[in-house]
Amino acid sequence: MQTDPVSSEAVAWHMQEPQAVLRQLQTSSDGLAAAEAARRLGIDGPNELKEAKRISPWQIFLGQFKSLIIWILIIAGVVSGLLGEGVDAIAILAIVVLNAVIGFYQEYNAEKSIAALKKMTAPLAKVRRDGAVASIPASGIVTGDILELEAGDLVAADARLLSAASLKCIEAALTGESVAVNKQPAALEQRDVPLGDRENMVFMGTSVAAGTGRAVVVATAMQTELGRIAGLIESAGAQESTPLQQKLDSFGRILVWATLGIVAMLFGLGLLRGTPAFELFMTSVSLAVAAVPEGLPAVVTVSLALGVLRMSRRRALVRKLPAVETLGSTTVICTDKTGTLTVGEMTVRSLHVGGQSYEVTGEGYGPEGEVRLQGAKPDAQHTESLLELATVIIGCNNAHLVQEEGTWKVIGDPTEGALLAAGSKAGGHRQRIEQDLPKHHEIPFDSDRKRSTVVRKLPDGKLRAFINGAPDVLLERCTALYTSAGIRPLTDDDRTRIEAENASMAGQALRVLGSAYRDLDHAPPGSLTVDSVERDLVFVGLTGMYDPPRQEAKEAVAKCRAAGIRVVMITGDHPHTAAAISRELGISSGDRIAVTGADLDKMSDGELKRIAPETAVYARVTAEHKLRIIRAWKSNDAVVAMTGDGVNDAPAINGADIGIAMGRSGTEVTKQASDMIVTDDNFASIVAAVEEGRGIYDNIRKTLQYLLAGNTGELLLMTACVLAGLPAPLLPIHLLWINLVTDGLPALCLATDPIDPDVMKRRPRARNERITDGGFLSIMVFTGILTAGVSFAVYFHTLKSGTPEMARTHAFAVLVFAELLRSFGARSATKPVWRIPLSGNLMLFAVVSVTFALQVWSHHNDTLARLLKTTLLPLPDCFMLLAVGTIPLVVLEGLKLVKKSVEA
């Protein structure tokens, strides 16, 4: 009877010897038989990541109708239509549709995270079947297959190495570590080994930088580490309402109950007075229209859309509209280190040769930068020493640097790419070395020797071996020392000095390599063994490298601190490197060490919640750890933004309140999981986006106050007349005109006001802070009383000497004029109107002027008069009503001066 191989779940493959793994998976080093592979494929299914259910365009469109205020408007529109008020119904429903169209346009780019992950998997893979190597579609790989790996390959499944020759893999997308990982087949002793330290495993979606290897597949499809991340993305993707959505929905519920309460009270009062039921019903509809700010959804949506446009100019592309405002309320930014706070490319920062230390400037693999000695360019006596070291680090190197679309990239090992760039800055020439010193033999790097050697032929026919490796191991095999005065024997004091310099570089979080050489007599390559070549070496110098912080990141972190925003570094890199970079950027201070993934595995969610506010750096973490950290902060009521570029960042980005992906270095997976993409991979652009978000929230808040104060005035005016037993002062069409045109258009202009320059000097808003706090409501009600008061006075005065139609026309006109003038003062809660530059919002001035002209014209044009149900209003009366309409603005501006003098 055919038995099935053991499930890969919960098996510590890295602890087992290769032969034990083969036995457990019921395979051999010659691979599976084709028939057996087909059988396993039928049981386990194809080696493909499960694709998430797509969100259809209709679902996105219908999602725009979730807001309670939108449903209030829909009901108001339907009721207006049933009552024969066709114009009112069309106007209300047009606003609803416009709001939905704008929101749909912004969010049409549906979630494709899992689909993007599929693009990272290898389309073809080399496997052994029936004892022979064959290229097959990666989807056909099964557990027990034997993979043949070489430089440039994309790994098609998770596999345990059986053999390896100088094998190095780039796992940055999975672990966040930018250095290529050396691979070897020996079993590891510990069970709980971080993903980035499993040297005998290769993982789906990573790539081979150098060397060759053979590995047995232990997991496919969703059972791989990449598959686990795909599952995390799905589980993290439950969409939560943004702070603004929550506040507006809460406000909408309050508005509904308040309106229903007032309408019910007045309806009952009317019945007691004997008012006809139909008349009461029409008055109730008018009151409901007066209470609901019909322009609010459109104003909020359009202001967010305008914010998207402004952010794009600051290199931030917003994929999901509500994310604009969420950014403004961010209290914590959790950021990946590699490629976000740092350049994401290994860079040599320090050289030590001839007893002298040199600084290397520039970032990444490009030629920009130079070697400096005490801040100045070295003189001629130092040039020879630098050239000697440059010749070794270039001569023992298999990487290549290429320029693509203006960016320098490395083909091969990133560490060797960094050495190549530094060697060029130190005076070395790759082409000249290849031409004058052709390669004769190579002894590749392996993790046991911790060094690599390239033997080159000298012009005189002799050989020279160039060696790079771990300084401590290399120093043991050196007997001589290169100095600026020549070569001399290596003394114990020399060794002590070199070891101290190595320790000093390592203490700065630099990865240190030693360089040496040895001259040999000519010999055939076959006779050049490790033991015969790598001894009696001449020690040349040390090279210190790291992934440097972005120049602008430190300033951006300081800006976050001033704005009350906490920056937390989460990385797959080593703890000491992470801690050093965080101190350099100002994220952490003192000697605090990073919390590691192994530490997190020992913590419960409750313990993590407790330590999260005190922890600034996490290192050696996986995608799952990052998601746990995000959730711990959210459980502390923080509004969390997560930034990153690798696949390992995607679940946390999807699970954060606001997910931010890097546009240049970011994987497609991360971009599709994000709410916003930073196009220049600059942490400073994220902070600029936060600033925009805060400004947008401020504008939405003052716009909301302007609209609600107008609605309050209308509601108070209608209520006062009902209580006084007077005819309705405004008809539903008047209220709609005021809400949509007189208030709505200026409100749109208020939403585009310039951002307050001091916005990043304030503490962030709490998640539970109400958008309508006590100060907001008191100003809203006071403003409503003022506008209702002047309108009621005009209406009552005209009603005594004229017809109800004339009185309505006067009340309508004075209310419109008061609202238009009040928009100028609404631009600031503290500055008087004459101290707010009109040039900052010329569109508001234009809109108010046009609306004022339109209002006057409506009283002199028969078509508009019939539409708005108004009577003729002579020009002198218009100017008299305009003068009365200035009263609310004058009083409110006076109140600002009083408050300022009291505070002073």
Side-chain angles (χ1 to χ4, degrees):
M1 179 178 175
Q2 180 72 54
T3 57
D4 293 321
V6 176
S7 167
S8 64
E9 291 186 29
V11 178
W13 299 110
H14 59 277
M15 295 182 66
Q16 300 186 29
E17 294 295 338
Q19 291 304 316
V21 175
L22 292 173
R23 285 195 302 272
Q24 200 164 353
L25 293 172
Q26 300 173 21
T27 186
S28 71
S29 58
D30 289 330
L32 296 169
E36 173 61 12
R39 189 189 75 83
R40 295 188 183 190
L41 188 64
I43 295 172
D44 297 335
N47 178 35
E48 295 177 337
L49 298 180
K50 185 175 69 176
E51 190 165 348
K53 186 179 179 181
R54 297 289 181 88
I55 301 173
S56 71
W58 272 112
Q59 286 176 297
I60 298 173
F61 184 74
L62 293 175
Q64 310 304 314
F65 296 91
K66 292 179 180 178
S67 169
L68 182 60
I69 290 181
I70 291 292
W71 279 104
I72 295 171
L73 290 178
I74 291 172
I75 293 169
V78 170
V79 171
S80 296
L82 292 175
L83 293 176
E85 299 290 343
V87 175
D88 300 10
I90 290 170
I92 294 173
L93 296 177
I95 287 296
V96 172
V97 173
L98 175 65
N99 176 75
V101 167
I102 293 171
F104 172 81
Y105 176 78
Q106 290 294 333
E107 296 179 19
Y108 180 67
N109 208 353
E111 296 301 317
K112 298 174 186 174
S113 297
I114 310 302
L117 273 166
K118 291 177 72 176
K119 295 178 185 177
M120 291 192 62
T121 55
L124 291 174
K126 293 187 289 291
V127 301
R128 283 189 170 271
R129 292 274 174 91
D130 295 319
V133 177
S135 286
I136 66 168
S139 59
I141 287 176
V142 297
T143 54
D145 263 328
I146 304 299
L147 297 179
E148 296 287 344
L149 303 170
E150 61 183 29
D153 284 351
L154 202 60
V155 181
D158 287 5
R160 170 68 166 84
L161 283 171
L162 302 176
S163 63
S166 305
L167 185 66
K168 293 183 179 182
C169 291
I170 297 175
E171 300 176 345
L174 203 60
T175 66
E177 189 169 353
S178 52
V179 179
V181 180
N182 297 307
K183 296 293 183 179
Q184 53 83 27
L188 303 179
E189 294 181 1
Q190 291 183 315
R191 181 181 183 88
D192 297 325
V193 178
L195 198 65
D197 293 334
R198 295 179 198 172
E199 297 174 345
N200 56 14
M201 299 286 295
V202 291
F203 303 103
M204 176 190 268
T206 63
S207 60
V208 179
T212 60
R214 180 179 292 183
V216 58
V217 174
V218 298
T220 61
M222 297 300 288
Q223 301 302 313
T224 63
E225 292 297 329
L226 200 63
R228 289 180 65 249
I229 290 177
L232 286 172
I233 291 174
E234 285 190 286
S235 66
Q239 295 296 313
E240 298 178 12
S241 297
T242 69
L244 181 64
Q245 287 172 326
Q246 294 168 0
K247 291 177 176 72
L248 288 179
D249 284 345
S250 172
F251 169 73
R253 284 190 292 271
I254 294 170
L255 187 65
V256 166
W257 290 112
T259 303
L260 288 176
I262 293 170
V263 168
M265 180 187 73
L266 295 177
F267 194 89
L269 187 62
L271 286 177
L272 290 175
R273 288 180 171 173
T275 309
F278 182 76
E279 185 181 329
L280 281 175
F281 185 73
M282 290 300 294
T283 303
S284 298
V285 170
S286 296
L287 283 168
V289 171
V292 177
E294 286 83 0
L296 177 59
V299 166
V300 171
T301 305
V302 170
S303 62
L304 291 176
L306 290 172
V308 169
L309 182 62
R310 282 212 299 259
M311 284 186 179
S312 68
R313 293 173 185 150
R314 300 183 76 169
R315 297 178 175 81
L317 297 179
V318 176
R319 295 181 62 247
K320 299 171 185 176
L321 202 57
V324 179
E325 182 275 333
T326 311
L327 267 171
S329 56
T330 299
T331 56
V332 177
I333 299 178
C334 293
T335 175
D336 181 41
K337 176 184 73 68
T338 306
T340 307
L341 291 169
T342 64
V343 176
E345 300 170 346
M346 293 302 291
T347 301
V348 171
R349 185 58 72 229
S350 180
L351 300 174
H352 182 81
V353 59
Q356 188 70 57
S357 293
Y358 301 87
E359 177 194 3
V360 184
T361 64
E363 293 178 353
Y365 306 119
E368 299 81 12
E370 61 181 1
V371 177
R372 292 178 180 173
L373 176 62
Q374 296 176 351
K377 194 171 183 178
D379 53 28
Q381 71 176 18
H382 297 281
T383 304
E384 187 177 343
S385 298
L386 287 169
L387 182 59
E388 193 73 20
L389 180 57
T391 303
V392 179
I393 62 179
I394 294 176
C396 183
N397 201 309
N398 288 314
H400 297 276
L401 299 177
V402 295
Q403 192 173 21
E404 295 179 4
E405 299 178 358
T407 302
W408 286 91
K409 296 182 179 179
V410 62
I411 299 175
D413 185 349
T415 298
E416 291 192 344
L419 291 174
L420 214 69
S424 176
K425 295 173 187 177
H429 296 276
R430 175 71 175 270
Q431 290 181 339
R432 190 179 302 165
I433 289 172
E434 295 291 346
Q435 183 177 337
D436 297 345
L437 308 173
K439 184 186 287 189
H440 180 71
H441 182 58
E442 180 177 358
I443 306 175
F445 178 93
D446 70 54
S447 55
D448 292 328
R449 289 167 41 246
K450 295 184 178 179
R451 58 188 178 272
S452 60
T453 298
V454 171
V455 181
R456 293 184 177 273
K457 184 184 271 189
L458 298 173
D460 61 4
K462 291 188 176 183
L463 303 176
R464 176 169 289 183
F466 296 104
I467 304 103
N468 289 324
D472 52 345
V473 175
L474 198 62
L475 204 54
E476 291 174 359
R477 293 180 168 260
C478 292
T479 56
L481 175 67
Y482 171 84
T483 70
S484 57
I487 298 170
R488 62 172 175 78
L490 185 68
T491 65
D492 289 339
D493 287 343
D494 292 330
R495 291 179 189 276
T496 302
R497 279 194 295 271
I498 293 168
E499 287 169 354
E501 184 62 32
N502 177 32
S504 174
M505 285 186 177
Q508 300 170 49
L510 297 179
R511 182 168 180 248
V512 188
L513 285 181
S515 297
Y517 71 85
R518 183 187 174 201
D519 289 334
L520 306 163
D521 291 329
H522 190 277
S527 66
L528 298 173
T529 64
V530 169
D531 292 333
S532 65
V533 173
E534 294 177 348
R535 62 182 176 82
D536 300 328
L537 307 177
V538 177
F539 189 87
V540 177
L542 299 170
T543 303
M545 69 189 75
Y546 76 145
D547 182 9
R550 291 180 178 274
Q551 292 180 349
E552 62 281 350
K554 187 171 184 178
E555 183 182 335
V557 169
K559 199 170 186 179
C560 284
R561 193 183 299 112
I565 300 170
R566 182 79 180 275
V567 179
V568 178
M569 181 194 290
I570 306 177
T571 179
D573 214 337
H574 288 281
H576 291 299
T577 304
I581 294 289
S582 72
R583 284 194 294 271
E584 189 171 342
L585 289 169
I587 292 173
S588 65
S589 58
D591 297 326
R592 280 196 166 190
I593 59 173
V595 174
T596 66
D599 297 330
L600 292 175
D601 287 334
K602 298 171 186 175
M603 292 183 195
S604 66
D605 288 341
E607 289 173 315
L608 180 54
K609 176 184 176 181
R610 182 178 55 78
I611 69 141
E614 304 165 7
T615 307
V617 185
Y618 298 87
R620 268 306 188 227
V621 294
T622 63
E624 192 169 5
H625 292 142
K626 292 184 180 187
L627 186 56
R628 282 189 66 199
I629 294 165
I630 293 295
R631 288 173 173 167
W633 271 109
K634 289 175 75 172
S635 66
N636 280 305
D637 289 327
V639 179
V640 187
M642 172 71 195
T643 78
D645 59 353
V647 179
N648 59 323
D649 299 316
I653 280 176
N654 213 29
D657 291 298
I658 173 87
I660 305 169
M662 300 294 108
R664 288 182 182 172
S665 61
T667 60
E668 189 64 22
V669 186
T670 315
K671 292 175 187 176
Q672 294 299 335
S674 68
D675 301 294
M676 188 183 88
I677 299 170
V678 178
T679 59
D680 61 353
D681 288 15
N682 192 334
F683 186 77
S685 295
I686 298 168
V687 181
V690 171
E691 185 176 3
E692 287 285 348
R694 287 191 174 189
I696 288 164
Y697 181 85
D698 284 353
N699 283 348
I700 288 175
R701 191 174 188 273
K702 69 186 178 188
T703 302
L704 180 62
Q705 188 175 61
Y706 172 72
L707 287 172
L708 292 181
N711 285 97
T712 303
E714 297 162 26
L715 196 59
L716 289 174
L717 174 62
M718 296 291 291
T719 303
C721 290
V722 170
L723 291 175
L726 300 174
L730 298 170
L731 300 176
I733 189 63
H734 297 152
L735 295 165
L736 273 178
W737 177 268
I738 294 169
N739 290 354
L740 297 178
V741 180
T742 308
D743 285 352
L745 294 179
L748 285 174
C749 298
L750 286 174
T752 65
D753 242 10
I755 294 172
D756 183 350
D758 294 332
V759 73
M760 288 298 280
K761 295 178 182 177
R762 304 197 305 248
R763 304 290 297 177
R765 307 184 307 276
R767 179 188 285 271
N768 56 1
E769 179 187 303
R770 297 174 67 99
I771 197 169
T772 52
D773 56 19
F776 180 102
L777 293 174
S778 61
I779 292 293
M780 181 191 80
V781 172
F782 182 67
T783 304
I785 291 171
L786 288 173
T787 53
V790 295
S791 299
F792 182 81
V794 167
Y795 178 67
F796 187 75
H797 174 76
T798 310
L799 195 61
K800 288 197 297 184
S801 56
T803 62
E805 290 76 16
M806 185 182 292
R808 280 197 193 103
T809 299
H810 281 67
F812 176 41
V814 76
L815 196 56
V816 167
F817 295 150
E819 288 297 292
L820 289 174
L821 292 169
R822 194 170 58 80
S823 65
F824 292 114
R827 293 181 62 193
S828 173
T830 54
K831 294 178 183 176
V833 68
W834 55 88
R835 292 208 177 148
I836 309 172
L838 199 59
S839 58
N841 200 334
L842 290 174
M843 185 58 70
L844 176 63
F845 178 76
V847 163
V848 170
S849 300
V850 170
T851 308
F852 175 79
L854 198 60
Q855 182 68 31
V856 174
W857 188 40
S858 72
H859 298 298
H860 295 81
N861 180 276
D862 291 340
T863 303
L864 272 177
R866 280 196 300 272
L867 176 67
L868 295 177
K869 299 175 183 176
T870 59
T871 60
L872 178 67
L873 196 62
L875 278 177
D877 289 359
C878 286
F879 288 113
M880 183 270 293
L881 293 173
L882 176 63
V884 175
T886 61
I887 293 174
L889 176 65
V890 171
V891 173
L892 289 170
E893 296 308 298
L895 186 62
K896 289 180 188 177
L897 294 177
V898 172
K899 285 177 66 177
K900 189 173 182 180
S901 63
V902 169
E903 290 171 0

